[in-house]
Amino acid sequence: MKLLARIIGRHKLLIYPFYTVVIKHINPHQKLVPEILAMIAESIHDLIPPDEIHPIIEKVIDQYVSEQVDNQVITIAINAIWEICLRQPAGITEAQLHHIVNFWLYKDKSVAMATKSLVNLFRDINPALLESKDRGKMETLEMK
């Protein structure tokens, strides 16, 4: 799967069944969480329709971005979502982004920093997805 993910990402191939198979491997009992998430992020490119990416991000959020999960796993998941959004910004919905932004003031510093990096990414590429309080002063002034 790693090889296929790398080939899909580098050559910008559209192999939609790959993502349905990958979704099955995203579960909380997975021992290789960082490798699976890195593989998913590596296989995403700008030609993939956002409808194929939404379920992947939703599954990652459901399984790994919650307060019941270890802080390191939350950080890895948010960083993987950051990497996916860097490659395909339309891959995340507004509701999914708002759920992640709620971790901005999380008690663990690494989780908070990963969330801030995701917010900063969206301040640059698509500030309309963020709430006005999260956009920053300059972006809010420019949108008016």
Side-chain angles (χ1 to χ4, degrees), residues 80-137:
I81 292 170
W82 180 87
E83 188 68 35
I84 290 170
C85 292
L86 181 67
R87 295 169 187 249
Q88 175 56 289
I92 192 167
T93 63
E94 191 171 347
Q96 292 169 340
L97 185 60
H98 290 304
H99 177 75
I100 296 171
V101 169
N102 290 334
F103 283 86
W104 183 306
L105 300 174
Y106 196 71
K107 59 188 173 192
D108 186 60
K109 189 172 183 171
S110 63
V111 174
M113 294 304 295
T115 305
K116 288 176 186 177
S117 69
L118 185 66
V119 169
N120 286 333
L121 174 70
F122 275 94
R123 283 180 180 168
D124 293 339
I125 60 174
N126 192 358
L129 282 180
L130 295 170
E131 292 180 4
S132 61
K133 65 177 181 148
D134 297 328
R135 288 184 195 141
K137 185 176 180 180

Side-chain angles (χ1 to χ4, degrees), residues 52-104:
E52 292 291 323
I53 301 172
H54 293 310
I56 295 171
I57 292 180
E58 187 66 36
K59 183 82 174 198
V60 170
I61 289 172
D62 288 343
Q63 299 296 326
Y64 301 124
V65 184
S66 68
E67 294 180 1
Q68 292 81 22
V69 182
D70 186 41
N71 295 334
Q72 290 179 330
V73 176
I74 297 172
T75 304
I76 291 168
I78 293 174
N79 285 332
I81 292 170
W82 180 87
E83 188 68 35
I84 290 170
C85 292
L86 181 67
R87 295 169 187 249
Q88 175 56 289
I92 192 167
T93 63
E94 191 171 347
Q96 292 169 340
L97 185 60
H98 290 304
H99 177 75
I100 296 171
V101 169
N102 290 334
F103 283 86
W104 183 306

